[in-house]
Amino acid sequence: MESLAKRLAQGEPAAFAELYDVCADRLHHYLAVRMGSYDAAGDVLQDTFVRLVRSRRRFAGVENPVAYTFAVARNEAHRAAGRGAREKRRPMATADELFVAAPDDHAARLAAESVAAALAKLSEELREIIELKHYAELTFREIAEVTGLPQGTAATRYRTAIGRLRGFLAKEWS
Amino acid sequence: MNFDRDDELVHPLAGTMPRGAPPELRRDVLDAVARELASANGRSTTAWLAWGVAALVLLAVGLNVAVGMNEERRMARLRRHHPQRADVAELAETVVTLTDKASADRFRDYLARMLPRRAAPPEARPPESWPQNEIRAVGGVLVDP
C-alpha cells in the first residue's frame, strides 16, 4: 500500500478522509484556541483541507503529512485572523468550547474553567506551544516543523509555559 | 537530545479533556474536498485543451511558412533566377537620378554583374546528329496522329 503522503499527492479522496480522521479533532482544538471560537475553527479547518487539495502535489515531498497539515492550518488561521481583524472577536474560547465535561462532574468542569482561564493568561506563542505539545500530541520535532522554531526553543517555551500555567492554577486553587 | 521527556512533572493540564471537531464537520469538509478535486480535474482538462489548441495553431503557422518558402523556391526555379530584390532596384533608380550619366551607367553595369543571369537555352542540334529512335518516334506521330 502506498504511503498516505503519496496518495494525498495523487488526489485520492479516501486519503483526505484518512488524514481528516487522523488529525481533525486535534486540529480543531488547536484552531479553536488560536481563533478564539469553536465555530471559526470549523471554517478554518475546512479552508485548510481545501488548501491542501489545491496544493496536493506538495505532499509528494512531505515526510510527515500531519505536521504539514498543522503548518497549513496555522497559515490559514493567520490569514483568517487577518480577514477578521476589524471584527470584534473574543480573545479566548470558553471552557465549554474547548473542553468536554459532564454537567454533573463538578471537578471536571472546575478544571476546564481553570485551565481555560490560565491558558488565556499566557502569551499567544506560549499558548500555541502548549496546544501543539499537550493537546495535539506533536513531538518537538513536529512542532519545529509547524512553527519554524528550533526544537530547543520550542522545548524551552513549553517548559516556561507549563511553569506559568502551574503558577496560575496554584494561585486559583489556593 | 530528547526534548520530549517531561514525564517527571505532574501535569497541570491532565484533568482536562479536549473537545473534538463537531461530527457534521467531517461531511462538510470531505464534500468541499470532493468539489475541489472535481474542479481541479476540470481545470486540468481545460488546460490540456488550451495547450493542444496552441500547439495546433503553431503547427499551422509553421506549415504555412514552410509551404510559402517552398513555393517561392519552386517559382524561382521556374523563372531560372531568383526574384530581384525590390530594395536593390530602388537603389539603382536612385543612383541613376542623383548622379551623372557616366556614374549611372557604371553602377548599372555593376548591378547587372551582381544580378544572377538567366541560364542559356540548350543549343539546337543539327538533324544529322538526332538519334534514329527519336526520328522514328517523331515520324510516327506525324504520319499517324
Side-chain angles (χ1 to χ4, degrees):
Chain A
M1 185 164 169
E2 285 180 295
S3 73
L4 179 60
K6 208 169 185 178
R7 287 164 50 223
L8 289 165
Q10 288 165 354
E12 198 181 296
F16 283 96
E18 194 177 324
L19 180 67
Y20 182 91
D21 293 337
V22 166
C23 66
D25 284 338
R26 295 183 280 160
L27 199 54
H28 191 277
H29 195 264
Y30 167 68
L31 290 170
V33 169
R34 207 171 160 83
M35 301 300 296
S37 158
Y38 189 77
D39 294 334
D43 294 340
V44 177
L45 182 56
Q46 185 163 327
D47 291 346
T48 300
F49 270 77
V50 169
R51 178 78 55 181
L52 289 171
V53 172
R54 284 184 189 154
S55 57
R56 61 190 176 281
R57 286 188 181 84
R58 290 190 191 164
F59 272 112
V62 166
E63 205 175 297
N64 185 336
V66 171
Y68 178 71
T69 302
F70 269 86
V72 172
R74 188 175 189 261
N75 289 339
E76 283 299 315
H78 190 69
R79 201 169 289 135
R83 278 199 301 266
R86 290 182 185 175
E87 296 169 20
K88 195 178 175 187
R89 289 178 297 119
R90 282 176 295 183
M92 184 69 196
T94 62
D96 281 342
E97 287 179 310
L98 293 180
F99 302 111
V100 178
D104 55 345
D105 189 347
H106 296 295
R109 288 190 68 79
L110 186 66
E113 280 167 16
S114 304
V115 168
L119 282 173
K121 288 179 188 166
L122 288 179
S123 68
E124 200 173 319
E125 291 82 14
L126 294 183
R127 197 159 58 223
E128 181 179 34
I129 298 291
I130 289 286
E131 262 305 310
L132 292 173
K133 182 75 184 94
H134 183 76
Y135 293 113
E137 297 172 347
L138 301 185
T139 63
F140 283 119
R141 189 180 172 191
E142 290 169 330
I143 293 172
E145 270 183 55
V146 173
T147 59
L149 293 170
Q151 278 189 62
T153 307
T156 307
R157 281 193 187 179
Y158 178 67
R159 284 172 202 286
T160 305
I162 288 291
R164 289 196 189 161
L165 276 180
R166 188 172 284 118
F168 294 144
L169 292 173
K171 225 182 260 180
E172 193 155 327
W173 289 336
S174 67
Chain B
M1 184 173 175
N2 185 4
F3 293 110
D4 291 296
R5 279 181 313 177
D6 68 341
D7 297 337
E8 77 276 8
L9 300 170
V10 178
H11 217 290
L13 307 174
T16 53
M17 183 181 285
R19 185 180 291 279
E24 65 275 10
L25 184 64
R26 186 180 194 275
R27 195 196 58 232
D28 293 346
V29 169
L30 295 184
D31 283 352
V33 164
R35 273 197 306 276
E36 192 57 34
L37 282 171
S39 72
N41 288 337
R43 278 199 297 273
S44 149
T45 308
T46 311
W48 277 110
L49 270 176
W51 277 110
V53 168
L56 281 175
V57 166
L58 275 178
L59 183 67
V61 168
L63 280 174
N64 197 23
V65 168
V67 166
M69 287 168 68
N70 197 36
E71 182 68 8
E72 203 173 303
R73 274 199 299 272
R74 194 176 69 84
M75 292 304 288
R77 265 201 313 276
L78 285 175
R79 286 196 299 267
R80 303 267 178 174
H81 68 84
H82 295 290
Q84 187 179 350
R85 285 175 51 180
D87 54 347
V88 173
E90 197 178 324
L91 183 64
E93 280 175 25
T94 310
V95 170
V96 167
T97 53
L98 291 179
T99 59
D100 56 287
K101 188 171 183 312
S103 303
D105 287 344
R106 210 164 40 246
F107 181 77
R108 198 175 290 120
D109 286 346
Y110 282 135
L111 194 63
R113 266 183 258 162
M114 282 163 59
L115 289 174
R117 291 180 184 169
R118 183 185 287 272
E123 279 185 26
R125 290 175 298 171
E128 312 81 75
S129 64
W130 290 3
Q132 286 303 308
N133 57 346
E134 285 184 20
I135 294 171
R136 271 198 301 277
V138 173
V141 170
L142 290 174
V143 170
D144 187 15

